[in-house]
Amino acid sequence: MGLRERKKRETRQRIADVAMGLFAARGFDDVTVAEVARAADVSVNTVFNYFPAKEDLFLDRRDWAEGRPEEVVRQREPGESVVRAFRRDVLDAIATRSWRYGFNEGSDVFTGMVRESPTLLARVREFHVEREEALAAALARESGAGGDDVTPRVVAAQILGATRALSDYAVRRMLAGEAWSSIEPALKEQTERAFDLLEHGLGG
């Protein structure tokens, strides 16, 4: 990466970090883009050059997070099904407390800010739809499914619905003040159960 590109990435990250600090301290709806710009020592136009909307300051990792499910599909091991690949990825995220499924320290604070802001709540719901559509498109390409085949959309909805349920479960217990040491074993058990259902069917 060249110097110019590196500086642009550093500027983007600094703006996002400053914005998140302000949002955490005062709430998303009570912070303006102009205040973020002043705190980051840049112009308002510079902020909008990197982040088209205020919500994008909060969801600064959105592009990576949206593309992550497709990456899981693309990087699965030889002979590994999509469901097994996601099971492995979620269990790895639990073990490493990765933010990609909301298992990181601070995800309870993040969730609290989203719940307090109707604007953010709407944007996050929109993000989940976009993520599901991106995964469905990836599955359709992988399987060669035709445009009238609903299978990729059904699979994408079920897999990402399961990961959201697991994330909600973990965050709910974090918000209740439980230590990760007590959450982790139960979360692993819930993950295995959820992916067993996906792998073997919901008929029971």
Side-chain angles (χ1 to χ4, degrees), residues 9 21 29-30 34 40 48 54 58 63 79 87 109 114 131 133 139 147 152 154 160-161 175 181 187 189 203:
R9 288 188 65 171
D29 292 330
D30 292 331
F48 282 123
K54 181 182 169 185
F58 188 84
D63 290 345
R87 183 199 296 257
V109 176
V114 171
R131 198 176 193 219
E133 288 174 348
L139 292 171
V154 171
L160 294 184
L175 286 167
S181 58
L187 179 58
E189 182 181 332

Side-chain angles (χ1 to χ4, degrees), residues 11 14-16 18-19 22-23 31-48 51 57:
T11 299
R14 186 177 77 254
I15 294 170
V18 166
L22 291 172
F23 297 152
V31 176
T32 67
V33 173
E35 288 173 317
V36 171
R38 278 198 302 274
D41 196 26
V42 297
S43 69
V44 171
N45 284 343
T46 297
V47 174
F48 282 123
F51 303 96
L57 283 163

Side-chain angles (χ1 to χ4, degrees), residues 64 66-78 80-82 85-86 88 134-135 138-139 141-142:
W64 187 92
E66 186 175 310
R68 175 62 187 175
E70 183 178 353
E71 192 176 325
V72 173
V73 172
R74 193 172 59 250
Q75 295 182 350
R76 68 191 190 279
E77 297 170 357
E80 185 178 42
S81 72
V82 170
F86 272 94
R88 178 169 52 80
L135 177 57
L139 292 171
R141 287 193 300 271
E142 286 278 323

Side-chain angles (χ1 to χ4, degrees), residues 116-184:
E116 290 170 2
S117 169
T119 304
L120 275 182
L121 197 57
R123 185 64 190 93
V124 167
R125 285 173 176 162
E126 185 180 299
F127 162 75
H128 286 315
V129 172
E130 293 167 351
R131 198 176 193 219
E132 194 172 295
E133 288 174 348
L135 177 57
L139 292 171
R141 287 193 300 271
E142 286 278 323
S143 63
D148 58 347
D149 188 347
V150 301
T151 304
R153 295 189 68 87
V154 171
V155 174
Q158 293 302 310
I159 288 175
L160 294 184
T163 65
R164 287 196 299 274
L166 293 165
S167 175
D168 290 345
Y169 172 82
V171 169
R172 189 168 64 249
R173 292 186 62 170
M174 289 182 213
L175 286 167
E178 292 188 55
W180 183 254
S181 58
S182 67
I183 298 171
E184 184 175 5

